[in-house]
Amino acid sequence: AQKVTQAQTEISVVEKEDVTLDCVYETRDTTYYLFWYKQPPSGELVFLIRRNSFDEQNEISGRYSWNFQKSTSSFNFTITASQVVDSAVYFCALSEERDDKIIFGKGTRLHILP
Amino acid sequence: GAVVSQHPSWVICKSGTSVKIECRSLDFQATTMFWYRQFPKQSLMLMATSNEGSKATYEQGVEKDKFLINHASLTLSTLTVTSAHPEDSSFYICSALTGAVEAFFGQGTRLTVV
């Protein structure tokens, strides 16, 4: 069965620091998709990235970057030069091609302190 | 990106009554929609998979007689919480799947049962 583990329940950093959110996944499928979502206090899910299992290239989008390593089943997310507006809960998620269900990790609550 | 609209955004109802939540894909057809529930400070838990024209598939532990799901058209799925009780108070989120393994989420419905 698919599983997503986000070991960091809560992280607090001071503004402008870099922060990395960890995500480890389990799946028996060879074709799968990994996601990161941001959930601000309003509750709405904000899509950040989707990566398929065949694309291990790291991705950078502005201050955000993602490191996908199949060898360690990890898909970590780094925010560079963090800002107060980055404060939110971040979810890592996994979808297997067989049923398309998106299964979420427990989330990491990120506090960026001014 | 595609838009998924969920209605209502919040609802308060009396214990014992039923509440219907709608999930619409506004600019694409979704043969599959998913319903999630999120308790405060917890992750999104998948409740059921809704397929147009067929019965929903419920996750283990979810009462199908309590959470009625109807997916009557390619753009609309509804979740009805029957005989709601305070423990059903939660944040309910739907997502709609496009053909490209791309899931778009509604803005969520905050249900409070008093």
Side-chain angles (χ1 to χ4, degrees):
Chain A
Q2 62 198 100
K3 186 178 173 183
V4 178
T5 301
Q6 293 180 257
Q8 303 150 309
T9 306
E10 203 156 344
I11 300 175
S12 293
V13 299
V14 177
E15 199 173 17
K16 296 183 185 173
E17 287 185 0
D18 299 346
V19 58
T20 295
L21 309 182
D22 298 333
C23 174
V24 174
Y25 63 92
E26 290 178 35
T27 177
R28 293 181 198 160
D29 279 18
T30 54
T31 303
Y32 54 90
Y33 300 86
L34 295 163
F35 304 81
W36 275 96
Y37 290 89
K38 174 181 179 179
Q39 188 178 42
S42 63
E44 189 165 351
L45 281 178
V46 178
F47 169 82
L48 296 178
I49 190 170
R50 180 184 69 153
R51 173 69 73 215
N52 76 55
S53 52
F54 299 108
D55 183 0
E56 278 193 79
Q57 275 194 330
N58 291 332
E59 174 125 357
I60 298 175
S61 176
R63 296 184 297 107
Y64 296 169
S65 62
W66 291 269
N67 186 338
F68 178 25
Q69 303 238 341
K70 284 178 82 169
S71 60
T72 55
S73 297
S74 66
F75 187 45
N76 296 339
F77 171 35
T78 298
I79 301 175
T80 304
S82 60
Q83 299 176 2
V84 173
V85 293
D86 296 327
S87 297
V89 181
Y90 290 85
F91 290 100
C92 179
L94 167 70
S95 172
E96 294 173 334
E97 191 182 48
R98 70 173 83 181
D99 59 17
D100 295 329
K101 297 178 189 178
I102 298 180
I103 303 301
F104 288 80
K106 293 192 173 182
T108 297
R109 187 172 297 273
L110 178 63
H111 301 279
I112 308 297
L113 308 172
Chain B
V3 178
V4 174
S5 176
Q6 205 171 323
H7 179 81
S9 298
W10 59 270
V11 57
I12 301 173
C13 71
K14 288 186 178 179
S15 191
T17 61
S18 295
V19 174
K20 181 187 282 189
I21 302 170
E22 293 187 347
C23 179
R24 292 182 186 273
S25 55
L26 296 186
D27 50 1
F28 67 99
Q29 293 184 330
T31 54
T32 303
M33 291 186 177
F34 300 99
W35 286 95
Y36 294 83
R37 179 170 54 183
Q38 184 181 31
F39 292 110
K41 297 197 175 184
Q42 293 191 24
S43 185
L44 285 80
M45 299 303 297
L46 181 64
M47 298 175 68
T49 303
S50 165
N51 291 299
E52 186 265 338
S54 63
K55 288 185 179 180
T57 304
Y58 290 81
E59 296 297 303
Q60 198 171 8
V62 178
E63 300 174 59
K64 56 184 167 184
D65 293 332
K66 180 165 189 64
F67 299 100
L68 301 180
I69 291 171
N70 185 285
H71 194 155
S73 78
L74 286 171
T75 59
L76 174 65
S77 175
T78 60
L79 167 67
T80 301
V81 183
T82 62
S83 187
H85 287 96
E87 57 265 29
D88 298 323
S89 298
S90 188
F91 191 58
Y92 293 86
I93 305 177
C94 70
S95 76
L97 199 65
T98 70
V101 197
E102 193 76 53
F104 295 91
F105 286 82
Q107 71 270 39
T109 298
R110 196 165 299 281
L111 170 64
T112 303
V113 185
V114 298

